[in-house]
Amino acid sequence: MSTAPAPSTRAPARRAWAVVVLVPVLAALALWAFAWPAARTAPRDLPLGVAGPAAATAQLEKRLRQQEGAFEIHRYDDEAAARAAIEDRTVYGAVVVTGRSPELLTASAASPVVAQLLQQAVAERAAAQGTEVPTVDVVAAPEKDPRGAALNASVLPLALAGIVAGSVVTLLGLRGIRAALALVGAAALVGVVAAALAHSWLGVLTGDWWAEAATLGLSTLAVSAAVAGCAALIGTAGIGLMAFTVMFLGNPFSGAASAPQMLPEPVGVIGQWLPPGAGTTLLRSVSFFDGAAATGPALTLTWWAALGLGTVLLGDAMKERARSAVRPAEREPALTG
């Protein structure tokens, strides 16, 4: 007599084993994605300016280059040029060496973590040698968010809003133009609400209100359109695929808590290709730097949004064509009979 388990009992057992295996794998991936970059935070080709006569800056440059791979040195003739480079987001800070004592210029609005790092690398080391290096914060972080915690905390809610919007549009069965309009409308509303909270209420964003709202909305649309577009191509599995990409790669690789150049390579570069990283960089530019260096991240977000919306429309057109091809085949037997 056979004692093999009935087919009805095999499926639940397999699902139970799938859960037992899948949960630890997901936990390991989450720890790798979030903990590894955080544990390896250090400057890697971090853009840093050095201003002053070549004879005066030579010793400083030599000392900075001894930290192999840490800094990408940019030379400037004077303090005014160095300040302009910081305001244009070309460098994160600069050391000005003139006839007087050296001076450190930072931009905590670009990254409070990097500003503190530069103080430790330049000012505190000089103080240990008996030299005082005053620090000037050229573009300071907002008084209500000096450590950039609120901006860092905004990455996850915007990503979640985009994932939810794309998922809802897909699960409700919206297609074509209706789906695209729903995605754009939801993202626009998220942008307005987020700007009202972060700028008008909390005061942690200090730039042009509408530019910030547009950035927040575009960041949401880049995610939601990608989710809906992927689902239009491969079905509901596309929701999970894009959610994984955004949550497990986009968020931890964004550099929001520090800077892209502070993350292990090539994590920082990959993060700027994904919506959370590009959105964070663009939000810093429009909120604190009058839009400086905004072109790159704006194009990245626009590319994600346009590709996602285009895929939603293309997927609907492909399904409509498939339905049109089936209808004549269904009618033909009736006509021939």
Side-chain angles (χ1 to χ4, degrees):
M1 177 181 285
S2 175
T3 58
S8 60
T9 64
R10 290 177 183 174
R14 289 174 181 173
R15 287 195 290 266
W17 276 109
V19 171
V20 170
V21 173
L22 185 60
V23 170
V25 169
L26 290 176
L29 285 173
L31 285 173
W32 168 79
F34 285 88
W36 172 57
R40 297 292 184 268
T41 299
R44 295 171 176 84
D45 292 326
L46 186 75
L48 176 65
V50 174
T57 61
Q59 189 63 28
L60 172 63
E61 288 186 47
K62 181 180 178 180
R63 189 166 67 248
L64 290 173
R65 293 186 193 279
Q66 287 176 349
Q67 304 179 47
E68 188 174 352
F71 299 107
E72 180 185 277
I73 305 300
H74 296 243
R75 293 206 72 260
Y76 301 102
D77 293 332
D78 51 32
E79 180 178 346
R83 283 177 174 267
I86 292 173
E87 292 169 350
D88 290 340
R89 303 204 70 184
T90 304
V91 295
Y92 282 90
V95 183
V96 180
V97 182
T98 60
R100 301 167 296 173
S101 63
E103 182 181 57
L104 174 63
L105 306 179
T106 63
S108 59
S111 172
V113 171
V114 171
Q116 185 178 8
L117 169 74
L118 294 179
Q119 288 180 322
Q120 293 173 347
V122 178
E124 292 183 6
R125 180 173 297 181
Q129 299 174 352
T131 304
E132 182 179 356
V133 180
T135 300
V136 178
D137 200 347
V138 177
V139 185
E143 293 183 3
K144 295 183 178 180
D145 188 27
R147 298 182 180 179
L151 189 143
N152 182 29
S154 68
V155 177
L156 180 59
L158 289 176
L160 287 175
I163 293 171
V164 170
S167 301
V168 169
V169 165
T170 300
L171 297 177
L172 288 179
L174 298 179
R175 297 190 300 270
I177 295 296
R178 289 184 178 181
L181 291 176
L183 292 169
V184 172
L189 187 57
V190 168
V192 170
V193 172
L197 291 173
H199 184 118
S200 304
W201 180 43
L202 296 176
V204 298
L205 300 179
T206 58
D208 180 80
W209 195 94
W210 287 108
E212 292 166 355
T215 297
L216 294 165
L218 183 58
S219 299
T220 304
L221 180 61
V223 175
S224 63
V227 170
C230 193
L233 283 182
I234 64 175
T236 53
I239 297 175
L241 178 60
M242 285 310 307
F244 174 86
T245 301
V246 171
M247 296 300 296
F248 284 83
L249 298 180
N251 278 357
F253 292 4
S254 68
S258 54
Q261 295 85 355
M262 295 287 289
L263 300 178
E265 297 179 351
V267 166
V269 175
I270 294 173
Q272 294 305 297
W273 293 343
L274 298 174
T280 301
T281 300
L282 182 58
L283 187 59
R284 288 189 188 277
S285 291
V286 301
S287 184
F288 309 129
F289 293 88
D290 294 327
T295 302
L299 289 176
T300 299
L301 292 175
T302 302
W303 181 86
W304 275 95
L307 185 62
L309 292 175
T311 306
V312 168
L313 297 175
L314 177 63
D316 180 60
M318 292 172 61
K319 290 178 181 178
E320 183 61 33
R321 179 176 297 181
R323 287 192 294 268
S324 299
V326 170
R327 287 168 190 155
E330 291 176 345
R331 289 195 297 267
E332 186 175 350
L335 294 174
T336 57

